Structure formats: C-alpha cells, structure tokens
C-alpha cells in the first residue's frame, strides 16, 4: 500500500482534534448542540490552520446519525461515507479551478433538489476568493436565501478579496496561527505515535519554520524523518530548510559588534560554502536581531522564546549592542531583504550589508563606546559654521560677491554688449520705452514687482518653457499701458518679444494684474541708457532759480513776495 503523508494521516476528524482554534470549534459545537445552524459560513485564516478540515467536520456533524455533544461520531455509515468522499450530497469545490460563472450557475440550479443520502446538502467552496466577479454575482441570491436543506461553507486565505455582499451573508470565523507551544505539543504526540525519536530543539525549529501552519509543520517533520536515521536532530532540520544555527549567529553578531570585518566575512563564507541561501540567511539574521531587541526591551514576553533559545551566549551578545545600533542593524537587514527581490547577485548584496553593519554611523559608534568629540573642537566647528552662514547671507543679499561670481558677472555683462552690438540692439522700439520711462507710474511699478512671482507661476502652469524664457527678466518700469522688463541675456530678450510668447505673457499679466499691459523687453544696458537720458532731460527742463528771488524769499517770506514780468 502506498505511503500516506503525515498531514493526511493526522487530519482532524472531530472539532476536538483541531488545535489552536478553540474560539471557532466551541462556537460550532454549541450551535450544533442547540440546532442553531446558519445557511452560510465563512472560514478565513492562514494556510494550514484547519479551515477545510473544520468544514468537513461540520459536514459530518450536521448529517451524523448519532452526534455526541456537537461532535460527529465517525462510526455511523454517514460519517464514514463523508470521510471517504463517497457522498454525492457533500461537495468540495476548488474555486481556483472552477472560478467561472458557469460552474456557479450549475450549483445554483442543483441546490433546489433535495439531498438523496443525507439530511443536508453541504457545499464546501475552497479558495473562494478566486471566483470571478460574475461568479460572485451569480452566487449572491442563492447564498442569501438557499433552500432549508443546503449549507454553504466558504474557505479562503484572503478574505479582503471577497465582496462585502458575500461576507455579509455569512457567519465569519477567523482562524488564527497556531501558537508555537501548541504546535510543539502536537508534533511531540505525532512523533510518539510514530515511534520516532526527536530532539526538543528540532521540534522548536520545525514549529518556527511552519509559522503557525500545522500542515507545513507536519510536511517538514515528514521530510526530516525521511532524512534522518535513528533520531531527528536540529542539525537535520537546518540542513533540510537551509537555516543557520543560533550559535553561529551569536558568533557573527559578536564580530559585528567588534567591527571585525575580516572575521565577519570569514564566518559568512563558511555558510555559503555549505550551500545556504543568502536570502534565507539574512531573513534568519533579521529575526535574531529582532529577538535581541525584544530581550532588551521586554524580557518577560513569551514571544521571544518562539524565535530564539535564550541562552548565556545570546544574553552576552545582547549586552554588546545599544538600542541605536540595534535599530540600525534591523533597518539595514530589512532594506537589504527588500533589495534582494530585484538583485541578481544575492551574495554580494548580503556581503555589502554585513560590511555596512560593521561600519555604523557616528551616533551608533558613539553609543557603542567610541570616544566623543572634544568640546573645543565642537566650539571651533560651531564658530566656523556661524561665520560661513553670515558670509552666505551677505552673498545672497548682494553685499559681497565671490571672485567667481564677479568674473561670471563681467562675462555676462560683456556678452550681451557684443550680441546687442552685432544685432543692432533688441527688437523693442526704444521710443516706446522712453515714453514709459517718462510717464512711469510708481504705484503700478510696485504692483508689477510684487506680483511678478505670481505671473511666473501662472506662466509655468501654461508651459514651463514659457516661464524659463521670462524668469531672468526684471520689471523696472510700468506706465502708459506697458511694462518694461530688462534682461542680461540677448537671447531671452529677443525670445520674449516673439509674437506667440509675447501674447501669452501679456495675457497672463492682464489676468494677474487686472489690467492689460504691453510687454517691452530690453537689454539692461539699453534701459540704463534710456533711464539716464530721461533723468538728464528732466533736470534740464527745470527752470533755473533767480538768486534775487531766492534772497527776497529768505528775507520777507514767500507770502509777501510777488513777481511781475
């Protein structure tokens, strides 16, 4: 006869056999005892925690000929037939391979027929989250009001993928991960019944690797029994799963705390020579530091024992790490694990991670016991920073210019002159610029300058290239329905006077300022020349004061002086 896997041999046959789910089994037993059955149940939780097994036990319990305190007897013909899968009225459907609307419509058409062999028709739909949207819609009405002889049991590992309309029509039961101590007791009982010798630490490792799933634990134990000869040891589990012994991590962590890169690389090479997976190695090392953090923060927590054996070596290594260094180590391992998914060279990335952990940052080094910086050095450094900040403020305000800045300004000023001279100046008519300079409105000019950044922002929303051409311009005068903007670059000056860009800028200025204004772009040298000419003309237009008239005002006052031609 063919060999049967352990997880099939020791599959629960009663609610009492389902370990770690007392909150579910107690409720179902009470409902069966009091005959308070629902038409639909939803079992959700991690893999290997007993969802499908509980569904089959439920199917036997509702149809058992001689139920015992809410439990199936497993002795009557009905219980045996359901266990063997020979009852056509108890259907277990895999929604992963029967996820279409046609399969659900077939179920909907057949539920109306009464069961032929048992009391209740039970439909167990496993991995129900795999159904399509159309299939869920076809199931809705039947799930809400099925015939009295039908019970639906839905099982899934991802309940968040189910529509809310489906969940609201079911009694929901959340299956939890099986605690480590409960898992170890289960494995110990199975090993005793199989007559297998096994180390306590080996059972701890198997339960740890299963991560709360009984099926995973039994499959791993089955593999370990096949691998070992007389006794299942912890080394056998490590060899099968590719994990590393805790004592090795303690030695490695000690070398990292001592910043001994050579020893760290040597220890890591020993693991790689044994064929260990770099990702699994880093995953286990992350949990090693995690357990160390819990040991230092909350040593009374039972959860620590679930991952690491608290021995003298582990406690001594934990004393070498301060909290900042421990936080940095965990964060470094976590970042490396995220990068390993996309890296081709896993070993190189893990080696880089170990080197980083041996070279912590300045704060971590100080917390590890490194000598702090001298107070005099800190004072001198603080003074230098303060002087540099003051110097930077002066440069930003234009009070001080660096040699490079002066050279750049000279080059920038000389270049427009050459370009302007070669091209004959800007495109803007200078007589129009002179009119604006003569009739400049101070209030309007201040308004334009104050809202210039808003004009640039609105222009950027239209097209960022438009804003780039105008950003170096400076509004210097506004009046007579026009604005004069100066540029240091002849290219920017000419570009802004092109018809398309100029019309966009004028439209934006009209929107922001609330009045239409014409754009006049000129070179800075041209504006200085115009401004100087207008200033000289204004000075020459003022009449010269008569010295006799001034002397008379000083003597008798302006009110008593009358001038006649």
């Amino acid at each position: 006869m063919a060999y049967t896997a352990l997880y099939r041999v020791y599959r629960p046959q009663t609610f009492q056999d389902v370990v770690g789910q007392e909150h579910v089994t107690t409720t179902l037993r009470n409902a069966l005892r009091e005959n308070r059955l629902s038409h639909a149940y939803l079992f959700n939780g991690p893999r290997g925690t007993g969802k499908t097994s509980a569904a089959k036990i439920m199917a036997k319990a509702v149809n058992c000929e001689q139920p015992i305190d809410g439990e199936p007897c497993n002795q009557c013909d009905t219980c045996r037939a359901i266990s063997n899968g020979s009852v056509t009225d108890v259907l277990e459907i895999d929604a992963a391979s029967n996820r279409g609307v046609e399969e659900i419509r077939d179920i909907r058409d057949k539920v109306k027929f009464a069961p032929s062999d048992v009391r209740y028709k039970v439909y167990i739909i496993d991995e129900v989250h795999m159904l399509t949207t159309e299939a869920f819609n076809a199931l809705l009405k039947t799930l809400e009001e099925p015939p009295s002889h039908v019970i639906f049991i839905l099982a899934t590992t991802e309940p968040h993928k189910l529509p809310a309309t489906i969940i609201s029509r079911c009694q929901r039961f959340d299956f939890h991960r099986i605690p480590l101590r409960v898992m170890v007791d289960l494995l110990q009982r199975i090993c005793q019944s199989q007559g297998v010798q096994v180390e306590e630490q080996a059972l701890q490792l198997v339960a740890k690797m299963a991560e709360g799933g009984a099926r995973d634990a039994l499959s791993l134990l089955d593999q370990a029994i096949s691998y070992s000869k007389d006794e299942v040891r912890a080394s056998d589990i490590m060899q099968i799963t590719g994990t590393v012994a805790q004592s090795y991590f303690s030695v490695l962590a000690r070398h990292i705390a001592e910043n001994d890169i050579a020893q760290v690389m040597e220890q890591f090479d020993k693991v790689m020579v044994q064929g260990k997976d770099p990702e699994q190695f880093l995953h286990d090392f992350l949990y090693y530091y995690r357990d160390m953090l819990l040991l230092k923060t909350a040593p009374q927590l039972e959860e620590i024992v679930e991952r690491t054996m608290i021995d003298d070596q582990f406690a001594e290594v934990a004393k070498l790490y301060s909290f900042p260094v421990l936080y940095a180590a965990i964060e470094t391992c976590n970042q490396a694990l995220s990068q390993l998914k996309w890296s081709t060279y896993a070993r190189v990335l893990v080696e880089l991670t170990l080197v980083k952990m041996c070279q912590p940052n300045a704060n971590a080094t100080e917390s590890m016991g490194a000598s702090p910086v001298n107070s005099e050095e800190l004072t001198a450094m603080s003074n230098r920073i303060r002087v540099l900040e003051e110097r930077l403020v002066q440069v930003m305000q234009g009070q001080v210019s660096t040699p490079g800045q002066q050279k750049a300004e000279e080059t920038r000023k000389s270049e427009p002159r050459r370009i302007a001279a070669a091209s004959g100046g800007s495109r803007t008519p200078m007589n129009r610029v002179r009119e604006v300079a003569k009739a400049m409105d101070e209030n309007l000019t201040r308004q334009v300058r104050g809202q210039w950044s808003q004009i640039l922002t609105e222009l950027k929303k239209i097209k960022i290239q438009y804003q780039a051409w105008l950003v170096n311009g400076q509004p210097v005068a506004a009046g007579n329905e026009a604005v004069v903007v100066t540029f240091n670059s002849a290219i920017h000056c000419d570009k802004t006077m092109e018809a398309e860009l100029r019309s966009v800028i004028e439209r934006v200025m009209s929107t922001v300022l609330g009045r239409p204004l014409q754009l006049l772009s000129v070179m800075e040298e041209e504006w200085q020349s115009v401004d100087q000419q207008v200033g000289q003309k204004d000075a020459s237009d003022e009449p010269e004061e008569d010295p006799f008239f001034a002397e008379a005002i000083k003597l008798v006052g302006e009110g008593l002086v009358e001038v006649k031609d």
Side-chain angles (χ1 to χ4, degrees), residues 29-43:
R29 289 178 62 185
N30 292 338
L32 289 166
R33 188 186 304 113
E34 299 173 7
N35 199 22
R36 298 174 60 89
L37 299 178
S38 176
H39 62 279
Y41 295 89
L42 174 62
F43 295 166

Side-chain angles (χ1 to χ4, degrees), residues 281-497:
F281 164 83
L282 197 58
H283 181 271
D284 295 338
F285 202 29
L286 173 63
Y287 270 105
Y288 179 86
Y289 277 118
R290 172 257 189 192
D291 295 338
M292 186 183 297
L293 178 63
L294 287 179
L295 175 66
K296 295 175 71 67
T297 54
Q300 74 279 6
L301 286 181
E302 182 182 358
E303 192 174 358
I304 300 176
V305 185
E306 295 192 3
R307 287 288 180 180
T308 306
M309 301 296 294
I310 308 300
D311 52 11
D312 295 338
Q313 188 179 18
F314 181 74
E316 290 176 1
V317 174
K319 295 179 182 179
L320 300 177
Y321 284 84
S322 62
F323 286 112
V325 178
L326 206 50
Y327 299 151
I330 294 175
E331 184 65 26
T332 303
C333 292
N334 185 43
Q335 291 177 358
L337 280 172
S338 301
Q339 297 173 1
L340 273 175
K341 299 177 181 178
W342 317 106
S343 176
T344 307
Y345 306 100
R347 175 172 179 173
V348 176
L349 182 58
V350 175
E351 289 175 344
L352 177 62
T353 302
L354 294 176
V355 172
K356 285 183 179 179
M357 296 170 68
C358 292
Q359 297 176 343
N361 54 32
N363 294 333
T365 304
E366 180 178 348
S367 62
M368 288 282 289
S371 58
V373 181
N374 193 350
S375 59
E376 297 180 359
E377 296 179 359
L378 287 176
T379 304
M381 189 179 300
S382 177
N383 294 333
R384 290 183 60 189
I385 293 174
R386 179 175 53 80
V387 172
L388 289 174
E389 289 177 347
E390 294 175 356
R391 181 76 174 179
L392 180 60
V393 171
Q394 294 175 357
V395 171
M396 295 297 292
Q397 294 177 352
Q399 299 176 4
V400 179
S401 59
T402 61
Q405 182 180 358
Q406 294 175 356
K407 184 176 181 180
E409 290 179 355
E410 292 174 358
T411 305
R412 188 174 65 247
K413 290 180 179 179
S414 61
E415 180 181 358
R417 290 194 185 96
R418 293 195 300 270
I419 297 175
S423 60
S426 59
R427 302 182 182 182
T428 306
M430 299 309 298
N431 57 347
R432 189 77 178 91
V433 177
R434 294 188 187 94
E435 293 177 2
V436 176
K438 291 178 182 179
M440 184 175 66
D441 188 342
E442 293 291 344
N443 294 329
L444 181 58
T445 303
R446 284 195 295 269
Q447 180 185 358
V448 174
R449 290 174 178 172
Q451 295 180 301
W452 189 248
S453 59
Q454 184 179 354
I455 293 173
L456 294 175
T457 302
E458 296 297 328
L459 196 62
K460 183 179 180 180
K461 294 179 181 178
I462 299 175
K463 194 172 183 180
I464 192 172
Q465 287 83 353
Y466 291 165
Q467 187 242 13
W469 286 114
L470 188 64
V471 70
N472 292 326
Q474 293 294 332
V476 293
N480 290 339
E481 308 300 329
V483 175
V484 178
V485 179
T486 62
F487 290 88
N488 290 325
S489 172
I491 298 177
H492 289 75
C493 180
D494 292 342
K495 184 66 178 180
T496 53
M497 290 304 293

Side-chain angles (χ1 to χ4, degrees), residues 2 7 19 46 76 115 120 130 142 158 213 232 243 320 329 338-339 352 356 380 394 475 484 503 527 549 555:
Y7 78 87
V19 297
C76 63
Y120 287 97
M130 297 294 290
T142 304
E158 302 181 39
V232 178
T243 56
L320 300 177
S338 301
Q339 297 173 1
L352 177 62
K356 285 183 179 179
Q394 294 175 357
V484 178
S503 62
W527 168 252
F549 180 68
L555 291 175

Side-chain angles (χ1 to χ4, degrees), residues 195-199 224-233 236:
V196 176
Q197 299 293 327
V198 61
E199 290 181 352
I225 293 174
S226 300
Y227 177 81
S228 61
K229 295 181 180 180
D230 301 329
E231 182 181 5
V232 178
R233 298 178 176 84
D236 299 335

Side-chain angles (χ1 to χ4, degrees), residues 251-271:
V251 174
L252 186 64
R254 182 183 296 275
H255 291 319
I256 291 177
E258 296 171 353
N259 298 335
D260 192 345
I261 299 178
Q263 287 295 328
V264 169
M265 291 294 99
E266 183 178 348
Q267 292 293 328
F268 179 68
D269 184 67
K270 291 180 180 179
V271 173

